[in-house]
Amino acid sequence: RPAINECAGRNGEPLILTGNGGTIAEDARPEFAAALQSRAGTVYSGSQECSWLIRVNKGENVRLHFTFLNTEEGSDFVTIYNGETTQSPVLSKTSGSKVPADVVSTGDMVLVTYAADYTVDGFGFHATWCVDGSSCAVDDLPDLPEPAPDAVLPYNATAP
């Protein structure tokens, strides 16, 4: 089963994801498990900058399928680049609550970034990714821990 990859990237370096598919999201707190399984989100707060570099085999293309989106419209963006850097062409830049159509790269890599500011909290996003031409595991959700009962955790408490 695919693993959930929380807000990632340190010192400007993205989390590198390889293989045939997986799931990404801006959050991996324990209470996020139930939200993901019910196709909802948990409130994010504060400023965030996350990045994931998705690589598939040479000659293959990456498809990204959003399963949830709820960010501050016009301010907190998920951006998908057609390559490995923010200098690569932009395939999609989205915010708000309308789940966008699938995005397909023209090469074997996409860089996904998520940037949120301090103004309005939202519920974030989650998406699956796969090799184009295969099924992005929309219904095959990752194994996640049970939500902590009545736990009030600081934002991203489980992040490394």
Side-chain angles (χ1 to χ4, degrees):
R1 297 183 128 208
I4 187 75
N5 293 290
E6 65 190 88
C7 186
R10 296 184 194 183
N11 301 321
E13 295 298 320
L15 176 67
I16 298 173
L17 306 174
T18 59
N20 294 321
T23 303
I24 62 173
E26 90 301 336
D27 199 345
R29 294 174 291 166
E31 63 268 34
F32 185 68
L36 178 64
Q37 291 165 350
S38 66
R39 304 269 193 264
T42 54
V43 175
Y44 64 86
S45 61
S47 179
Q48 286 188 340
E49 289 190 17
C50 313
S51 59
W52 303 264
L53 178 61
I54 301 171
R55 291 182 179 160
V56 295
N57 293 323
K58 294 274 186 209
E60 296 177 331
N61 299 45
V62 179
R63 181 161 50 103
L64 195 72
H65 175 82
F66 284 86
T67 54
F68 180 81
L69 179 69
N70 182 276
T71 66
E72 182 184 1
E73 179 76 42
S75 186
D76 297 353
F77 288 97
V78 179
T79 306
I80 304 166
Y81 297 90
N82 195 31
E84 60 186 312
T85 72
T86 56
Q87 302 305 308
S88 302
V90 174
L91 291 170
S92 173
K93 184 173 183 176
T94 190
S95 67
S97 59
K98 183 177 183 219
V99 173
D102 286 6
V103 177
V104 179
S105 69
T106 60
D108 59 0
M109 286 186 266
V110 295
L111 177 67
V112 180
T113 63
Y114 175 66
D117 62 20
Y118 287 105
T119 57
V120 175
D121 297 342
F123 288 94
F125 82 97
H126 40 88
T128 59
W129 64 273
C130 61
V131 173
D132 188 37
S134 65
S135 174
C136 284
V138 175
D139 295 320
D140 186 22
L141 294 174
D143 289 322
L144 294 169
E146 288 298 316
D150 300 321
V152 178
L153 300 173
Y155 174 73
N156 231 3
T158 61

